[in-house]
Amino acid sequence: MIDKLDKPLGRRRGKAKPPESKTNLPRLPIVPIAIGIMALVIGAPLAWIFFVDNPEGGRPVANVEVNSVVDSNELARNLTVEEQSQAEEPDTGVVEAGNSEQLIVNTDDLPDSDNAAVGGLVRKDMLELSQHGYIPQVASNGDRPVDVYARPSISASTADGKPLIAIVVTGLGLSKDGSNSAIDRLPDDFTLAFAPYGKSVAEIAGKAREGGHEVMLQVPLEPFDYPQNDPGPQTLLVGQSVRSNLDRLYWLMSQIQGYTGIINHMGAKFTSSSGDFEPIMEEIALRGLAYVDDGTSNRSVAPQLAQRSGADFAVADITLDDTPSQARILEQLSRLEIRAREKGHAIGLATVLPISVRTLTEWAQTLEDKGIILVPVSALYTHHDGS
């Protein structure tokens, strides 16, 4: 018993087992493993991009139109709706279009003067080749497009006291079928204004002139709620440099030929800004064109600028189809007739909507009995000399 107590506590009898040596543990290649992991992390994406056609596969992707604008107006929305491409026409020597692909640069066969308006022709001496295509200019002898391309008509001084009414129908050129229908149905004294977009706009404008209509060009100007309300590509903007806005104007001017003047499309903000608008009005006058204000903004400085620059000018009195129903259009036409009787003449504005074209065509047939004369808008211009 005593012997047992003399033994050290916790020890077993017999030979003690030596501790296990640390050198017996297996060694792991830590550095090569780390390098391999890093290579895998970096190399896998690179291999995926290299071998797979779609490196963004699996990511949510959305395609967004760069020019798409929420609640853009009908004119801008219609830009993407165009007709099938037309067959190439033979070279006739007549300038019919605005961009460099459609223009016929050889103008040797174009008339120099006199009856250029007959048959929808344009005069080569009234064309200037810009970087965007041909744009109108005053001829060397002083002839102006506003005079040469105007439809011959009775004037206030030769109307024997009868009231005169001019109506400008806007928005042609966006729909080929709708435009051709309007050209065929509306009497020749209706003035037709073309939106400067679409592959067939120059062709349709030429057809309108061949049919006897007087033609104008719609120019998109900045409204107060731009870009939520977008008049369309190449809109003239407040705050842009004069050079930039003139470049846009030249592009717009080059899209059709043979027009007498410019009418604004929207533009309440732009037409209220003298600093931005004045260089444009001066350019319009310099090129022998007229300016028609659509009359929708009471803040427009167009009358003052037209007088200062010497541009022929007119302003629309009433928009006829702001509500596109026959009853409303007829009501507005009655107001237009009253206005014409009160001051001797009046100008109405309408769009190329089928209901508008049909109503206007039927209304025009009643004018002779009413003692009212329908005239192109050029007959009602206020000229730069105040006449």
Side-chain angles (χ1 to χ4, degrees), residues 176-230:
K176 187 171 184 179
D177 291 340
S179 299
N180 285 333
S181 176
I183 292 168
D184 294 338
R185 297 182 65 179
L186 291 170
D188 293 345
D189 284 313
F190 280 87
T191 299
L192 305 182
F194 285 79
Y197 310 115
K199 296 179 181 179
S200 301
V201 62
E203 172 194 338
I204 301 169
K207 177 182 176 180
R209 292 190 61 233
E210 289 174 5
H213 289 281
E214 187 172 282
V215 169
M216 298 196 74
L217 172 69
Q218 280 185 271
V219 169
L221 306 177
E222 181 180 358
F224 281 108
D225 54 352
Y226 179 87
Q228 287 76 22
N229 202 5
D230 187 353

Side-chain angles (χ1 to χ4, degrees), residues 270-292:
F270 192 89
T271 59
S272 67
S273 174
S274 295
D276 295 284
F277 195 7
E278 186 165 22
I280 301 303
M281 187 68 80
E282 290 175 349
E283 189 71 15
I284 290 171
L286 181 66
R287 296 193 172 277
L289 301 170
Y291 182 84
V292 174

Side-chain angles (χ1 to χ4, degrees), residues 206-276:
K207 177 182 176 180
R209 292 190 61 233
E210 289 174 5
H213 289 281
E214 187 172 282
V215 169
M216 298 196 74
L217 172 69
Q218 280 185 271
V219 169
L221 306 177
E222 181 180 358
F224 281 108
D225 54 352
Y226 179 87
Q228 287 76 22
N229 202 5
D230 187 353
Q234 305 295 334
T235 294
L236 276 58
L237 301 174
V238 170
Q240 290 284 328
S241 67
V242 173
R243 182 185 184 92
S244 176
N245 275 333
L246 285 177
D247 184 71
R248 293 181 177 212
L249 180 65
Y250 293 160
W251 185 92
L252 295 162
M253 283 182 167
S254 71
Q255 300 307 299
I256 64 173
Q257 303 296 336
Y259 49 94
T260 63
I262 302 294
I263 184 170
N264 63 296
H265 175 59
M266 303 176 63
K269 183 176 182 179
F270 192 89
T271 59
S272 67
S273 174
S274 295
D276 295 284

Side-chain angles (χ1 to χ4, degrees), residues 56 58-62:
E56 294 188 356
R59 296 185 183 180
V61 177

Side-chain angles (χ1 to χ4, degrees), residues 82-358:
E82 252 314 316
E83 305 79 24
Q84 298 294 325
S85 58
Q86 303 297 311
E88 187 176 24
E89 296 294 332
D91 188 341
T92 62
V94 177
V95 175
E96 296 179 341
N99 62 50
S100 58
E101 293 181 358
Q102 295 172 305
L103 280 172
I104 300 169
V105 178
N106 181 8
T107 58
D108 292 341
D109 296 330
L110 293 177
D112 290 314
S113 59
D114 300 327
N115 63 343
V118 177
L121 300 179
V122 294
R123 280 173 42 176
K124 65 181 180 182
D125 62 337
M126 294 172 63
L127 295 173
E128 177 184 346
L129 186 59
S130 73
Q131 63 178 338
H132 301 295
Y134 285 110
I135 59 178
Q137 68 173 1
V138 176
S140 57
N141 66 355
D143 287 349
R144 305 182 305 162
V146 64
D147 302 315
V148 172
Y149 301 135
R151 175 177 169 80
S153 174
I154 196 170
S155 65
S157 61
T158 59
D160 295 330
K162 292 182 178 180
L164 306 180
I165 287 181
I167 294 182
V168 181
V169 179
T170 65
L172 280 88
L174 295 176
S175 165
K176 187 171 184 179
D177 291 340
S179 299
N180 285 333
S181 176
I183 292 168
D184 294 338
R185 297 182 65 179
L186 291 170
D188 293 345
D189 284 313
F190 280 87
T191 299
L192 305 182
F194 285 79
Y197 310 115
K199 296 179 181 179
S200 301
V201 62
E203 172 194 338
I204 301 169
K207 177 182 176 180
R209 292 190 61 233
E210 289 174 5
H213 289 281
E214 187 172 282
V215 169
M216 298 196 74
L217 172 69
Q218 280 185 271
V219 169
L221 306 177
E222 181 180 358
F224 281 108
D225 54 352
Y226 179 87
Q228 287 76 22
N229 202 5
D230 187 353
Q234 305 295 334
T235 294
L236 276 58
L237 301 174
V238 170
Q240 290 284 328
S241 67
V242 173
R243 182 185 184 92
S244 176
N245 275 333
L246 285 177
D247 184 71
R248 293 181 177 212
L249 180 65
Y250 293 160
W251 185 92
L252 295 162
M253 283 182 167
S254 71
Q255 300 307 299
I256 64 173
Q257 303 296 336
Y259 49 94
T260 63
I262 302 294
I263 184 170
N264 63 296
H265 175 59
M266 303 176 63
K269 183 176 182 179
F270 192 89
T271 59
S272 67
S273 174
S274 295
D276 295 284
F277 195 7
E278 186 165 22
I280 301 303
M281 187 68 80
E282 290 175 349
E283 189 71 15
I284 290 171
L286 181 66
R287 296 193 172 277
L289 301 170
Y291 182 84
V292 174
D293 190 285
D294 68 5
T296 58
S297 174
N298 57 12
R299 300 174 62 176
S300 174
V301 294
Q304 300 92 314
L305 296 182
Q307 183 178 12
R308 189 184 307 170
S309 65
D312 290 4
F313 177 77
V315 58
D317 295 279
I318 295 175
T319 299
L320 302 172
D321 57 354
D322 49 359
T323 301
S325 71
Q326 185 174 35
R328 175 62 175 174
I329 295 171
L330 289 173
E331 179 184 336
Q332 294 293 80
L333 285 169
S334 296
R335 291 181 57 209
L336 191 67
E337 294 173 15
I338 294 172
R339 184 76 58 88
R341 296 185 188 281
E342 289 175 348
K343 66 175 188 176
H345 57 83
I347 299 174
L349 195 68
T351 62
V352 73
L353 291 172
I355 184 63
S356 302
V357 171
R358 182 171 68 251

